[in-house]
Amino acid sequence: MSAVDAARAQVVALLGLGEAGSRLAADLVALGVEVRGYDPVPSSAPEGVDQADDPGSAVSGSTIVLVLTTASTALAAAESALPSLGTGAIYADLNTTSPALKHDVAALVDRAGARFADVALLGPVPARGLGTPALASGSGAQAFAEAFGPFGMPVEVVSDRPGDAATLKLLRSVFMKGLAASALESLRAAEAAGHASWVEGEIAAVIGEPLLERLVEGSRRHAVRRLDELEAARELMLELGVEPRIASASAAVLAELAEMTGEVPS
């Protein structure tokens, strides 16, 4: 059996069918994988996904569980899934959370006899799907990479310790969210001065128009989620003894943006 055929033989449960979860589910279905999904908010699952009424029904019999809920519900998602999680199954938490929270989830999964993968996605999943680069750590990291590599996901295994992948992503987030915050502030000032088009062109000339659009529009659509991510990054930096000046300022920009768009920070 080839690596691709072996990967297709997996039964994947996907907890969280938002933008990212739905895109991954659709990509897996297109490759011939059996996918079961659950989301607490009533929604239309992608075609071909067996939508379950509860997490346990989605997880039962699955060999891999992908979790794309929210950082604030990551622990609760694990607790709801564990009774139905099979021994040796891979439980991959793809949420962007603090390393400490990844440790807590990993402890639950390990006690259930399953393998935990702390997976950090390094790009816009709705746009890239299974082509999104990822970092993985934890007891199930290598197994996750072997399962998803044949699907076209570039997975770098960084260690067998949960939280290491999350740490790397949060350190990267300080720069990426800081870049977004600086672009948003510059464009806002440029608009007030009547020079929005010129400044936008100047920024695009440096970082590229696609990245600029991703930073600006992505921040507007996902201000609360990115604010949570930056708060986790701030906590990590403080633990490392580094003053989070940029992270704090960027968080303030996102908090204001969330308020302007009507989102409510968690």
Side-chain angles (χ1 to χ4, degrees), residues 12-17 36-41 50-62 64-67 69 73-86 91:
V12 178
L14 218 151
L15 305 183
L17 294 172
R36 303 168 184 171
Y38 170 76
D39 195 289
V41 178
D50 182 7
Q51 190 163 8
D53 294 327
D54 56 80
S57 298
V59 170
S60 181
S62 299
I64 302 175
V65 180
L66 304 182
V67 184
T69 53
T73 60
L75 195 59
E79 291 170 341
S80 67
L82 290 187
S84 303
L85 193 61
Y91 185 95

Side-chain angles (χ1 to χ4, degrees), residues 168-187:
L168 292 176
K169 179 169 182 178
L170 291 177
L171 294 174
R172 174 181 181 272
S173 292
V174 175
F175 170 75
M176 292 300 294
K177 273 51 178 185
L179 185 61
S182 66
L184 286 164
E185 186 169 294
S186 180
L187 289 172

